[in-house]
Amino acid sequence: MSNPFERIVEPLDPKQPLKKFFNLNRLEDVRYACLPFSIRVLLEAAIRNCDEFLVKKEDVENILSWKVVQHKNVEVPFKPARVILQDFTGVPAVVDFAAMRDAVKKLGGDPEKINPICPADLVIDHSIQVDFNRRPDSLQKNQDLEFERNKERFEFLKWGSKAFKNMRIIPPGSGIIHQVNLEYLARVVMDQDGYYYPDSVVGTDSHTTMIDGLGVLGWGVGGIEAEAVMLGQPISMVLPQVVGYKLLGNPQPLVTSTDIVLTITKHLRQVGVVGKFVEFFGPGVAQLSIADRATIANMCPEYGATAAYFPVDDISIGYLIQTGRDKEKVTCTKKYLEAVGMLRDFKNSSQDPDFTQVVELDLNTVVPCCSGPKRPQDKVAVSDMKKDFETCLGAKQGFKGFQIAPDRHNSAVKFNFEGCDFELAHGSVVIAAITSCTNTSNPSVMLGAGLLAKKAVEAGLTVKPYIKTSLSPGSGVVTYYLRESGVMNYLSQLGFDVVGYGCMTCIGNSGPLPESVVEAITQGDLVAVGVLSGNRNFEGRVHPNTRANYLASPPLVIAYAIAGTVRIDFEKEPLRINASGKKIFLKDIWPTRNEIQAVERQFVIPGMFKEVYQKIETVNKSWNALDAPSDKLYTWNPKSTYIKSPPFFDGLTLALQTPKTIEDAYVLLNFGDSVTTDHISPAGNIARNSPAARYLTSRGLTPREFNSYGSRRGNDAVMARGTFANIRLVNKFIDKQGPQTVHFPSGEILDVFDAAERYKQAGHPLIVLAGKEYGAGSSRDWAAKGPFLLGVKAVLAESYERIHRSNLVGMGVIPLQYLPGEDAGTLGLTGHERYTIVIPEKLKPQMNVQIQLDTGKTFHAIMRFDTDVELTYFHNGGILNYMIRKMAS
C-alpha cells in the first residue's frame, strides 16, 4: 500500500527535485508545534514509514496526540535510521544471524533473506585489556595481545562483514563505539533513498544515548531486539512521557562536565525517570558544548531514562563543521531541520514545547564531585569524600557500606614492589584510569587533565609506581590534540600513557594488578579503591580486588592518583610534599577554565578529525591481514572455544507451540535489589575455579588462554556456565557472597550452573526471585540468554531495568512483577517454596496471572509483556524464532 502521507512530500531544494522530505508543517496540525522535539523524531519516522501494516495512521494520530496519549500506556512502532553494535554484543548478534541462516535453510526458506535491511555499524572496542601500562610501548603490546586472544573472533566478524550486506565493521584500535559515533558515524540528518529525514539509532550498548547530545535520538536496546531492527522490524515501544530538564545559569570556574552529569544523575534518580525520555532545554543548555551535552547524555542509563535528548541547535551544527563533516551536507542538514521545525534556539523560550513535567537545575549550584563507592547515582562532593569513605567503612554491608570493624579502620599492610617498600590501607588507590567515552570524548576535561599533569610534574609531584594508571582515549583524535598541545609527555611522566583505544577499565578490562598489591589487599582484607573517569562502578565490575570504585573527572583521577588515597580533604590537606619539602595543594595545580579553553581553541581543529577518520577502516594492519572465508553460510568449527552454533533454534518448526503453565518450579536464586547484568552475566575475567574454567580446561586451554567472559560471548557453552558467576553475587540462600546456590532436592550448596544442570536433568523448571531494578547496568543479551539456557522460565521481581526486561521477552523468559505494594517480604516468600505460574490460553499485555505455591498460598503478579507485539514474540518462543518463521514462510 502507498503511504497515506505522500501529500506532504516535497523537495528540500526545488533545484534538486529527486531529494525529497516529509514536510511535517504541511500537516497543518496545531499539535505538532507543541510536541517535545524528541517526540517529533518519532512522529516523522511513523509518517515516513506508514504502510498501514507495520506502521498505521492510527499510530501517527497517537503520536500527534502525545499530550493526552502519554498517560495511557499506548504502544507505537519506531523504525530507527541505523543500528550500532560493539563487539561484545556484536559477536553474539552475528552468531545468531549465522545460526538463523542455518535454521531458515532447514525450514526450506532462503537463508540469504537473513540479512540486515537497516544499516548497521559494528565497532570493535570491547576486546582490549590493560595488560601493560606505564611504558612507552603499552599501546602496541596491548593491541598485540588483543589480536592474539581474539583472532578467531575477529576472523568471524570479518566473515560477517563480507557475508552480510549493509553491515560495516570499524576495526579494533579505532576508538570507543560512542565516541566514533559522535565524531564520525552520526549524520544528524540522513540522506538516503532520495529522502532527507532525522538520523536516529538504536544500539546494543546501553550508552548509545551519548549520541542524544548531538541531537540524534538514540538509546540502547537488547541485542535480540537490535537483530530484529536490522531485519527491518520496527521497535514496539510504549509512547513515553517526556521530562523537561531546564538548565539555568553558568557552571562555576572549577566545575567540569563530569561534575554536572554526576549531579544530574543523582537528581534524576530522585525524580524517577525510568522508561521516560528526558529532554533538555533552557538558556543553560547554550552554555554547554556538544562534548558536555554528550557526557550528560552518555550517563542516561545511570539515571534510568530511555533517552536524554538535546535538540539540534547552532552549536550542534558548529560541531559538525569542527569535526570535519562535509560542509555541503551540513548546509542541507540545517536547511532540513529549519524546514520541519526541529532546529532549536535554547534562548528562545517561545520554542519551549509541552512536557510531562519540568524539573530545573541551576548550573551555578554544581560543585566538584565523585560518585561511589558502588553505584553511579551515589554522588559525593569532593569536599566530603574523606568523611564519606570513612563512614562507608563502618556502615552495614550495602551500597554505602563495607562493615569493617572500627578497630580495623586504620589497618595497614606493608609490601614490596620492584625493590621498594610501600604501605596499603583502607582507601588506598590502586587503579587510576582515564577511560570511557563518557569523558574521553570531551576535550575540555581531557585537556584539563593534561594541563593538571603538566603543573603537577613541574611542581615535582609523582604517582606511586604500584598504582595501575592508564589512559584509554575514545578515538585517535584525543591523542592527536594531547600530543599537539604538548601535554602528552606530562601525562606519561605520571604514568598515564596511552594503553589502547577501547572501553578497557570502564567495562572491567582493567587487567591484572601487581601480585604484591593483591597479596597486601587480601592479607589485610583492605577496601582498596579504583578511581576512573567511567560511567559504571558496580561492585565487582572494575576489578575483583577494588571493593570501592569512584567515578570522577579525568583531572580528579590524576589528583587521587597523586594523593594515593581517597582519605584526603583537598581543601585542607596537600596532595603530596615534593622533594623540596613544599606542600602542594590541589588548588595549586588545577587549571582555570580560561586556560583550558585557550588550548582547546588552538588545538582541537577540523583537520585532526579528517586525518584520523579518513583512514579509520584501513589503518589497522593486523585487521587487514586477517583471512576470512567468503561463504554465505558459516562453517562452524567444532574445536572452537570462541564461536559455536547456539542451541536456541534446535527443533524449531513452523508450527507454534501453545504456552503452558509453569508447574512446580524451584527457585534457582533469591536476590535483593539492584542485581545488575554484571551479576547475571559478568564480562570480566573467568575465575580459575568456575564452571566455565572447568569447561575450557577440558577443551585443553590453560588459565592464561581463558580470556574474558565478554570475549567468549560467541560460545553458549561458556556463557551458560558464566551465568550468575560474579564473585560478588549476593544470593539470600547463601550466607556469603559468591556464585553459588542451594540445590533444594539434595540440600547441597553448588555452583549456580551445576545446580541448574541437576534441576534440568530431573525435569524441574526454574524461576528467579528479585527485588527492585533487576537487570540494571549494561545492555547484555546474555543476561537473558544465559538464564534461558539454565532452564529459567520466569523472573519475579519488584521492578526491571528497561533493556533487560526487553531481553527476557526476546528469549521467551516471562518477566513477572509483584503487584503495587507487594514484594517477597509482604507475601512471606522465602524462595524455598515451589511455584506454579498459571498461564491462561488468552493473554493480553500487562495482565495479572495467578501464582500458586506448594504451601497452599496463592497470589497474583503482573505479566510484563507490555505490548501485543511482545505477546507475539512470547507465543513464538522469542523474537528470533518469530523472525525465522517469518523468513522461512
Side-chain angles (χ1 to χ4, degrees), residues 82-86 120-121 123 177 181 185 201-205 208:
R82 298 183 289 123
V83 174
I84 193 164
L85 311 98
Q86 36 90 337
D121 294 299
V123 182
I177 176 173
N181 194 16
L185 298 174
V201 63
V202 292
T204 57
D205 188 283
T208 300

Side-chain angles (χ1 to χ4, degrees), residues 340-478:
V340 293
M342 292 192 198
L343 189 69
R344 189 77 162 92
D345 178 357
F346 290 105
K347 295 178 181 176
N348 181 0
S349 60
S350 68
Q351 281 191 3
D352 293 352
D354 293 331
F355 292 112
T356 308
Q357 71 178 109
V358 172
V359 291
E360 295 185 357
L361 174 68
D362 183 348
L363 294 172
N364 189 55
T365 64
V366 177
V367 298
C369 56
C370 300
S371 278
K374 301 182 186 182
R375 295 192 303 181
Q377 64 261 41
D378 294 330
K379 185 190 79 164
V380 186
V382 171
S383 58
D384 295 333
M385 272 285 285
K386 181 179 181 179
K387 179 182 176 184
D388 186 81
F389 178 82
E390 290 175 347
T391 301
C392 289
L393 268 184
K396 183 181 177 183
Q397 182 72 38
F399 299 124
K400 294 287 286 185
F402 298 101
Q403 209 160 332
I404 303 295
D407 62 342
R408 293 187 49 242
H409 285 196
N410 294 314
S411 297
V413 178
K414 296 185 186 306
F415 69 102
N416 188 276
F417 179 75
E418 295 182 345
C420 297
D421 292 329
F422 296 96
E423 188 175 89
L424 284 184
H426 295 299
S428 289
V429 174
V430 295
I431 291 177
I434 298 176
T435 182
S436 170
C437 52
T438 310
N439 285 290
T440 66
S441 61
N442 195 322
S444 66
V445 293
M446 295 303 289
L447 287 168
L451 291 170
L452 184 141
K454 179 176 184 290
K455 293 185 178 190
V457 170
E458 290 170 347
L461 299 180
T462 59
V463 175
K464 290 172 182 172
Y466 63 81
I467 296 176
K468 188 157 193 179
T469 48
S470 61
L471 167 58
S472 49
S475 80
V477 174
V478 180

Side-chain angles (χ1 to χ4, degrees), residues 646-660:
F648 305 135
F649 315 124
D650 292 352
L652 183 67
T653 63
L654 286 173
L656 293 182
Q657 304 295 315
T658 304
K660 297 177 181 177

Side-chain angles (χ1 to χ4, degrees), residues 114 468 546 585 805:
I114 300 294
K468 188 157 193 179
T546 57
F585 288 82
R805 187 201 62 82

Side-chain angles (χ1 to χ4, degrees), residues 448-753:
L451 291 170
L452 184 141
K454 179 176 184 290
K455 293 185 178 190
V457 170
E458 290 170 347
L461 299 180
T462 59
V463 175
K464 290 172 182 172
Y466 63 81
I467 296 176
K468 188 157 193 179
T469 48
S470 61
L471 167 58
S472 49
S475 80
V477 174
V478 180
T479 309
Y480 204 139
Y481 66 65
L482 290 176
R483 189 174 58 240
E484 291 296 304
S485 62
V487 298
M488 192 74 235
N489 179 50
Y490 297 100
L491 287 162
S492 296
Q493 287 185 61
L494 292 180
F496 290 91
D497 298 278
V498 173
V499 294
Y501 296 95
C503 298
M504 304 188 88
T505 300
C506 186
I507 58 162
N509 286 1
S510 49
L513 288 173
E515 283 188 23
S516 58
V517 171
V518 173
E519 288 169 4
I521 293 170
T522 306
Q523 179 186 334
D525 190 26
L526 299 176
V527 180
V529 177
V531 183
L532 64 153
S533 63
N535 46 40
R536 294 262 165 86
N537 57 340
F538 300 124
E539 193 173 13
R541 178 184 176 94
V542 174
H543 193 281
N545 296 111
T546 57
R547 284 156 70 184
N549 296 282
Y550 288 93
L551 306 181
S553 66
L556 279 175
V557 170
I558 296 176
Y560 280 112
I562 293 169
T565 179
V566 294
R567 297 172 83 169
I568 181 173
D569 183 338
F570 287 133
E571 293 178 8
K572 300 174 183 176
E573 301 172 62
L575 279 168
R576 296 274 288 280
I577 298 173
N578 67 12
S580 304
K582 183 181 178 183
K583 293 180 178 179
I584 307 296
F585 288 82
L586 181 57
K587 64 184 178 183
D588 299 329
I589 61 170
W590 194 272
T592 66
R593 179 165 292 173
N594 287 340
E595 285 179 277
I596 296 169
Q597 289 175 343
V599 175
E600 185 175 349
R601 280 192 298 270
Q602 184 177 353
F603 293 103
V604 184
I605 56 177
M608 288 182 177
F609 292 88
K610 287 181 179 177
E611 185 174 335
V612 168
Y613 282 112
Q614 68 186 4
K615 55 189 179 184
I616 191 171
E617 293 177 48
T618 58
V619 74
N620 192 314
K621 293 178 182 177
S622 298
W623 175 263
N624 297 340
L626 285 177
D627 187 32
S630 55
D631 302 339
K632 297 300 181 184
L633 291 175
Y634 187 68
T635 304
W636 306 97
N637 178 1
K639 295 181 180 179
S640 173
T641 56
Y642 277 104
I643 307 297
K644 179 177 175 289
S645 181
F648 305 135
F649 315 124
D650 292 352
L652 183 67
T653 63
L654 286 173
L656 293 182
Q657 304 295 315
T658 304
K660 297 177 181 177
T661 289
I662 300 168
E663 295 187 7
D664 284 333
Y666 281 97
V667 177
L668 179 64
L669 293 148
N670 188 1
F671 293 130
D673 296 341
S674 297
V675 170
T676 72
T677 51
D678 283 298
H679 291 116
I680 305 168
S681 182
N685 294 331
I686 296 172
R688 295 187 182 193
N689 60 346
S690 65
R694 294 196 290 272
Y695 167 79
L696 292 171
T697 301
S698 74
R699 300 298 299 269
L701 273 66
T702 63
R704 183 179 176 275
E705 299 169 305
F706 287 173
N707 210 333
S708 65
Y709 283 113
S711 67
R712 293 193 178 273
R713 286 182 182 168
N715 186 320
D716 62 272
V718 174
M719 297 310 295
R721 288 164 174 80
T723 303
F724 300 114
N726 191 308
I727 61 171
R728 300 295 181 194
L729 196 73
V730 178
N731 174 14
K732 292 181 182 179
F733 294 151
I734 306 291
D735 60 5
K736 62 179 181 178
Q737 289 185 338
Q740 293 187 311
T741 194
V742 175
H743 176 253
F744 285 108
S746 67
E748 291 180 70
I749 295 177
L750 301 172
D751 287 331
V752 174
F753 174 79

